[in-house]
Amino acid sequence: MNKSILVVEGEKKLREQYRNELQDVGYSVITAGSGKKALHRLKNEPVDLIVADLVLPDGAGFAYLQEFMAVRRKVKVVINTEHSAYRTDFHSWAADAFLTKSSDLSELKNTIYCVLYPKHPSKPPDKFSSSQYVLSE
């Protein structure tokens, strides 16, 4: 796949789980445990897509989301948070997708695939381990 994903997640176990699962399906994955670290990585490494939580140890994720977009205007963003109420906040509209965290990462992987490959078939490759169809254009 050769696409690079930056995972911004304050919880170390989740960050590692996301990295491992996304690497298993062929993505290059870099991680950051805070918004500040994410900004540094975004400025210094190639990134095609950001998976970001909105609750970070060093500040509000929406503020960092705006900074991410300022640094790399065309980067794709998937918000992945526990707090579904954030979906109605107009700041979340800047993201390409909004997900509520789940222990099953199929939806996250499917969403990433659809955001990165919008012209491809609506079903990701079998290695994504999901029988669900995903959003199409």
Side-chain angles (χ1 to χ4, degrees):
M1 283 185 196
N2 297 339
K3 295 287 187 177
S4 179
I5 298 173
L6 170 58
V7 174
V8 186
E9 170 60 58
E11 294 182 44
K12 185 178 180 180
K13 285 183 179 182
L14 287 177
R15 202 167 51 244
E16 291 173 356
Q17 180 186 11
Y18 296 163
R19 182 190 65 228
N20 293 338
E21 293 260 348
L22 294 172
Q23 284 177 336
D24 286 349
V25 294
Y27 296 113
S28 171
V29 181
I30 54 178
T31 63
S34 68
K36 184 176 181 179
K37 288 178 185 174
L39 277 171
H40 177 75
R41 300 208 85 168
L42 189 60
K43 289 175 183 176
N44 295 296
E45 299 184 47
V47 174
D48 298 299
L49 182 138
I50 300 169
V51 175
D53 192 358
L54 294 177
V55 179
L56 299 172
D58 62 344
F62 280 131
Y64 280 113
L65 178 61
Q66 290 176 343
E67 290 187 57
F68 298 156
M69 301 298 281
V71 168
R72 187 94 37 102
R73 177 125 170 83
K74 296 193 183 239
V75 71
K76 304 290 186 186
V77 176
V78 175
I79 294 172
N80 188 49
T81 188
E82 293 176 354
H83 307 284
S84 60
Y86 287 137
R87 181 184 302 270
T88 59
D89 187 306
F90 79 94
H91 290 98
S92 68
W93 301 348
D96 295 278
F98 187 106
L99 298 174
T100 303
K101 284 183 184 178
S102 170
S103 58
D104 178 1
L105 297 186
S106 297
E107 184 179 17
L108 176 62
K109 291 187 279 187
N110 289 341
T111 299
I112 289 169
Y113 180 84
C114 287
V115 169
L116 287 174
Y117 304 101
K119 304 270 187 229
H120 284 239
S122 63
K123 186 172 187 238
D126 289 335
K127 65 183 173 182
F128 280 71
S129 303
S130 176
S131 61
Q132 297 179 2
Y133 283 82
V134 293
L135 301 173
S136 59
E137 289 184 89

